[in-house]
Amino acid sequence: MILIINGVKKSFTAPLDLKAALEQEGYDGMLVAVAVGGTFVAKGNYGSTKLNDGDEIEIVAPMQGG
Amino acid sequence: MPSQPLVIDDTILASRLFLGTAGYPSPDVLRRAIEVSKPGLITVSLRRENAAGKGQKFWDILKGFNIPVLPNTAGCHSADEAITTAEMAREVFETNWIKLEVIGDDYTLQPEPFLLLEATKRLVSKNFKVFPYMTDDIVLAEKLVDLGCDILMPWGAPIGSGRGLNNPFALQTMRERFPDKTLVVDAGIGAPSHASAAMEMGFDAVLLNTAVAKAGDPAAMAGAFAGAIQAGREAYLSGIIAPQEKAATSTPMIDKPFWHQNG
C-alpha cells in the first residue's frame, strides 16, 4: 500500500500499524509527534492505529519559531 | 513602585521579554542572545522531521536554559490545522500553552479573526492555555475573553515588518478596556524603543523575534531589548507625566539671581 509521509509517497506492505511504520522509517525513539489524515495520534495509540492505503502521515519535531 | 515578575499559571517568568527562536544566523548566536537577554519565555514551533534528529538537537539547546516555552501554530490557515498542530505541540513540548496563529492574509500575515475564535473555543475545551495572536480589534478581544482567554496578544504591526506600534490608540484602548488581562504586544517590533513604548502603555510583556534575529549583532540587540522592556515597565509603574500644551520651568524661579516678583 502507499502511504504519504510528510508529503512523500512511499510503498509499504499491508497490514501495517503506525508504530511499525514509524519504526520502518527510522523514527523509533525520536522526539516527534504524529498526525494521520490531519488528526493527531497520541504516542500511546501508535500500535492501535491501523493504516490504510493512501493515508497521509505528518511527522513533526521541535523547530525554531517566533 | 518595584516591578513584580509576570506570573502565568503559577509560573513565574524571569523577564517580560518573550523571545522568538527563528531566523538566527546560527544556533550559537541564538544561544548567546538567550544568555544575554534572559527572556521570560521563548517561542518554538514544529516542522516536518526527516528522521535526521535535527529537532532533538534544537530542543536540547533550549532545554538547557530551563526557560518556559510557548509553541506556536505558525503557518496554519484553518482551525483544524491549528488544533492538530497544538495537540502535537502539547505532546512534544509537554506544555498546554499554545500561541495560536491562524493566518487570514498571506500578504500582511494578518490573523483570521473568525477562525481564531473557532480554534480558541475548541482548544479551550481541550484544556489548552491559549495565547491568541490577534489584531488590535476590541470586539475580537472581548469575544476571546468570553471564550476563556486571560492573555491577549495583539500585533504591533505585521510579523517581521519592524514597523513598531502601528496603532497606539487601539493598543492603549485595549489596555484600558482589559485592565485585568495579561496583554502582550506580539509582532512588528523593530527597535527597543517600540518595545519600551508598549511597556510604558502598561502592556505586560512584548514578544519579538525578527528584530533580534536579523540585527547586526543579535546578542547585543537582545540585551538592548531586555533593558528597554524593563525600563518601559518601570516607567509605567512610576507614573509618567501627562503631556502639557505649555512650557513649565523645571528650575524654581523664586530667588534666582536678578529675580523680580512682577517679572
Side-chain angles (χ1 to χ4, degrees):
Chain A
M1 66 176 174
I2 299 296
L3 299 176
I4 303 162
I5 298 181
N6 283 347
V8 178
K9 286 183 180 177
K10 294 191 175 183
S11 186
F12 292 84
T13 302
L16 190 68
D17 61 44
L18 181 57
K19 184 171 188 295
L22 291 172
E23 285 172 0
Q24 288 182 31
E25 288 298 296
Y27 291 100
D28 195 28
M30 292 185 64
L31 179 63
V32 294
V34 180
V36 177
T39 300
F40 168 66
V41 180
K43 202 173 288 291
N45 296 332
Y46 289 173
S48 60
T49 300
K50 305 301 178 195
L51 298 175
N52 299 301
D53 188 49
D55 274 348
E56 296 187 22
I57 303 172
E58 294 289 332
I59 305 168
V60 298
M63 191 57 63
Q64 297 87 342
Chain B
M1 183 186 297
S3 177
Q4 299 294 316
L6 181 59
V7 179
I8 298 177
D9 275 355
D10 296 328
T11 298
I12 299 171
L13 304 184
S15 161
R16 292 167 182 272
L17 165 64
F18 296 177
L19 188 62
T21 57
Y24 291 78
S26 71
D28 268 349
V29 174
L30 167 61
R31 192 196 319 261
R32 287 205 302 277
I34 294 173
E35 286 170 352
V36 168
S37 61
K38 298 179 174 57
L41 187 155
I42 44 184
T43 57
V44 291
S45 191
L46 290 172
R47 286 295 178 272
R48 286 172 168 171
E49 170 67 61
N50 63 2
K54 283 176 63 178
Q56 180 74 60
K57 290 173 190 163
F58 168 68
W59 184 226
D60 287 343
I61 292 173
L62 293 192
K63 272 199 307 186
F65 287 104
N66 199 27
I67 295 172
V69 297
L70 178 63
N72 68 29
T73 63
C76 290
H77 286 72
S78 74
D80 285 343
E81 283 178 19
I83 288 160
T84 299
T85 302
E87 290 177 312
M88 291 193 288
R90 178 161 62 180
E91 184 176 80
V92 165
F93 295 110
E94 299 179 336
T95 177
N96 69 333
W97 293 4
I98 190 74
K99 174 182 164 179
L100 180 58
E101 290 184 48
V102 186
I103 299 301
D105 179 71
D106 283 329
Y107 185 73
T108 61
L109 298 179
Q110 180 169 332
E112 213 288 11
F114 309 103
L115 295 179
L116 182 67
L117 289 172
E118 180 191 334
T120 297
K121 184 176 184 180
R122 291 165 61 186
L123 286 170
V124 168
S125 75
K126 292 172 180 281
N127 297 316
F128 279 91
K129 175 92 172 177
V130 176
F131 295 56
Y133 167 60
M134 58 185 292
T135 58
D136 49 29
D137 187 296
I138 293 296
V139 178
L140 174 60
E142 189 74 56
K143 291 183 181 299
L144 287 164
V145 168
D146 289 345
L147 290 174
C149 291
D150 55 15
I151 296 173
L152 301 170
M153 301 211 299
W155 64 353
I159 295 171
S161 69
R163 295 176 57 85
L165 308 182
N166 262 358
N167 193 342
F169 174 75
L171 295 172
Q172 186 76 60
T173 303
M174 188 176 289
R175 178 68 287 175
E176 290 165 6
R177 291 292 302 276
F178 300 96
D180 301 327
K181 302 302 174 192
T182 298
L183 300 186
V184 181
V185 168
D186 175 11
I189 298 296
S193 56
H194 301 153
S196 185
M199 297 303 293
E200 288 171 16
M201 280 183 194
F203 272 74
D204 295 286
V206 175
L207 197 167
L208 56 102
N209 188 154
T210 306
V212 167
K214 301 302 183 189
D217 183 339
M221 185 62 81
F225 269 105
I229 287 168
Q230 178 68 16
R233 178 66 180 172
E234 290 178 7
Y236 169 71
L237 294 174
S238 302
I240 297 169
I241 65 168
Q244 305 293 327
E245 292 299 322
K246 294 171 59 179
T249 59
S250 51
T251 303
M253 289 295 106
I254 295 175
D255 289 336
K256 80 173 184 61
F258 319 113
W259 179 66
H260 301 288
Q261 188 163 14
N262 295 319

